[in-house]
Amino acid sequence: MKSIRLREGKERSLLRRHPWVFEGSVAKGKADAGETVRVEAHDGRFLAWGAYSPTSAIRVRAWSFDEVERIDRDFFARRIAAAVALRARLPVASDGVRLVHGEADGLPGLVVDRYADTLSAQFLSAGTERWKATIADLLLEATGCARLYERSDSGVRGLEGLPPATGWLRGDGATEVTIREHGWKLTVDVAEGHKTGFYLDQRDNRARFADWVRHFGCERVLNGYCYTGGFTVAALAGGAKDVVGVDSSAPALERARTHVVLNGFDPGRAQWLDADVNATLRERLKAGERFDAIVLDPPKFAPTAAHAERAARAYKDINRLALKLLAPGGLLLTFSCSGGIGAELFHKIVAGAAIDAGVDGALLARLEGACDHPTTLAFPEGEYLKGLAILKAA
């Protein structure tokens, strides 16, 4: 077994069970991509078993902090079984479920979503790539599913020195699946959809939005970055009479149209714009329009803290425009999925946007990812999705 020796003082994060070892913390030791290594403190004390990545800034991702544990097939079977068992205990109102959430489930670099009878997985680290075949078999055994589609096409793979990889790992057939969420029907294409196919992390926020639209009597709604229309379906379910969905992806908008009809709503209640959200907000504001509710769920503006300053300007601009476009007493749901923007900073950005817009508002709720996307105490970086529900002053 190869060993990685850390520099003096660099063992503190592992002692707190944080699973990452950065390149600059390593004093000596090398291994092949994905190979299991023993991570030691500067004095030789055992710290963790981990997967080595020779090209990544995260040089080792810890599998286990137990010296007697062995990283083998049984190890992955235990971790996957525990992850699946946890989801069975959680109040998930859908058959679209995040089954494995990377570091939060002790499986760094592995993301697995279940869409009805189909699994969709991302192998994003050298360690999970090395164990891919074993993990794939174990996932089918643990879930009873017969099909697993690989969506390892994230840019993170490149940082690990790995090429993108997509396609059926197990099983075959049509890649479109229909799931149920809070009583709604939504279709997912595991081959073409974003991430593993869909944004399951917004599941409960969509349901809350439907409730708020109903409670506050929101008739006109704008859904920015609407993707395949999940928040549009929620708004219609809440009684909205006119919902404008804006996205720059024509295929996503086409699927969004089908979702309105699939759930029995009048397609005339939904408008779709293949357009830039920022430009649309400006145009609607210039035209003197007002909306009772607006949703802003943009893509990742700041993948790392290094991008935070530029991203902050982008978030501030769209939120300033949305707050001005809202009718008095209107509802804004605004989100950031950027890892480089923390919850506190995001709150400050939106507060600054309100000042610039010359409006005030009350914080109705802080929003986060659904419960099947857990954040652990030892790995706060896992809390990537943050949001605010704001009532504009009347």
Side-chain angles (χ1 to χ4, degrees):
M1 179 67 65
K2 295 177 182 176
S3 296
I4 301 299
R5 184 72 59 93
L6 301 189
R7 300 180 189 279
E8 187 171 359
K10 296 299 183 179
E11 72 278 2
R12 296 189 186 96
S13 63
L14 287 176
L15 291 174
R16 294 194 300 268
R17 300 209 164 201
H18 190 285
W20 292 353
V21 176
F22 288 96
E23 178 184 6
S25 298
V26 177
K28 63 178 181 178
K30 293 182 179 180
D32 295 332
E35 187 176 359
T36 299
V37 295
R38 174 189 170 97
V39 184
E40 301 174 345
H42 72 284
D43 57 5
R45 284 176 296 142
F46 172 84
L47 295 172
W49 301 111
Y52 188 80
S53 180
T55 64
S56 175
I58 304 174
R59 195 49 53 96
V60 180
R61 287 175 167 82
W63 291 127
S64 172
F65 301 95
D66 183 352
E67 189 171 5
V68 301
E69 192 158 32
R70 292 293 172 261
I71 310 305
D72 54 18
R73 190 182 192 280
D74 289 344
F75 165 81
F76 289 101
R78 291 192 299 272
R79 289 288 167 93
I80 290 170
V84 172
L86 172 62
R87 274 57 179 192
R89 297 177 57 202
L90 297 175
V92 178
S94 177
D95 57 355
V97 186
R98 170 62 54 90
L99 289 181
V100 179
H101 193 51
E103 284 81 353
D105 288 299
L107 293 166
L110 179 64
V111 174
V112 184
D113 288 331
R114 177 171 186 163
Y115 299 109
D117 63 350
T118 301
L119 301 180
S120 181
Q122 293 180 312
F123 298 84
L124 302 176
S125 64
T128 55
E129 178 70 16
R130 193 178 183 97
W131 287 93
K132 183 189 294 185
T134 297
I135 290 171
D137 290 340
L138 291 170
L139 285 168
L140 298 188
E141 290 178 17
T143 61
C145 294
R147 305 196 308 162
L148 191 159
Y149 197 90
E150 180 177 8
R151 282 298 305 274
S152 302
D153 49 1
S154 168
V156 175
R157 291 260 302 182
L159 300 177
E160 295 283 305
L162 301 171
T166 61
W168 289 109
L169 275 182
R170 300 291 184 271
D172 55 22
T175 57
E176 183 174 297
V177 183
T178 299
I179 63 171
R180 293 182 177 272
E181 174 182 299
H182 296 293
W184 309 319
K185 293 179 182 178
L186 300 167
T187 63
V188 178
D189 190 329
V190 295
E192 301 295 337
H194 292 181
K195 301 277 182 101
T196 66
F198 191 55
Y199 293 105
L200 296 175
D201 50 3
Q202 290 282 27
R203 179 194 315 111
D204 296 338
N205 293 327
R206 287 187 282 266
R208 295 180 79 178
F209 185 56
D211 291 340
W212 284 328
V213 167
R214 184 179 302 107
H215 178 82
F216 295 112
C218 302
E219 295 189 355
R220 291 205 74 210
V221 176
L222 190 149
N223 182 10
Y225 311 96
C226 68
Y227 188 44
T228 59
F231 278 106
T232 294
V233 169
L236 294 171
K241 295 181 179 179
D242 179 23
V243 185
V244 178
V246 188
D247 202 279
S248 58
S249 168
L253 291 173
E254 187 58 38
R255 189 172 293 275
R257 287 188 183 92
T258 67
H259 285 159
V260 170
V261 176
L262 185 63
N263 287 281
F265 299 117
D266 178 0
R269 292 166 62 189
Q271 305 174 43
W272 307 101
L273 295 179
D274 185 348
D276 176 77
V277 171
N278 189 296
T280 299
L281 294 173
R282 293 178 187 277
E283 291 166 3
R284 298 289 171 128
L285 187 60
K286 186 176 181 180
E289 293 191 50
R290 289 292 181 269
F291 290 89
D292 301 311
I294 296 176
V295 178
L296 295 177
D297 187 18
K300 190 182 295 183
F301 287 168
T304 68
H307 301 85
E309 184 176 348
R310 182 178 63 185
R313 291 194 294 270
Y315 283 121
K316 186 176 183 180
D317 197 33
I318 59 172
N319 281 282
R320 176 183 61 83
L321 294 168
L323 286 165
K324 294 181 75 171
L325 196 54
L326 271 179
L331 172 66
L332 172 65
L333 256 66
T334 181
F335 297 95
S336 166
C337 62
S338 296
I341 302 288
E344 183 178 356
L345 176 57
F346 185 61
H347 187 144
K348 289 179 179 178
I349 292 169
V350 177
I355 292 172
D356 287 359
V359 304
D360 199 0
L363 184 60
L364 181 63
R366 297 185 184 276
L367 305 170
E368 58 187 9
C371 61
D372 52 341
H373 296 63
T375 300
T376 63
L377 296 174
F379 189 69
E381 293 91 337
E383 188 180 11
Y384 66 97
L385 180 64
K386 69 286 298 183
L388 302 171
I390 299 165
L391 280 178
K392 182 177 177 178

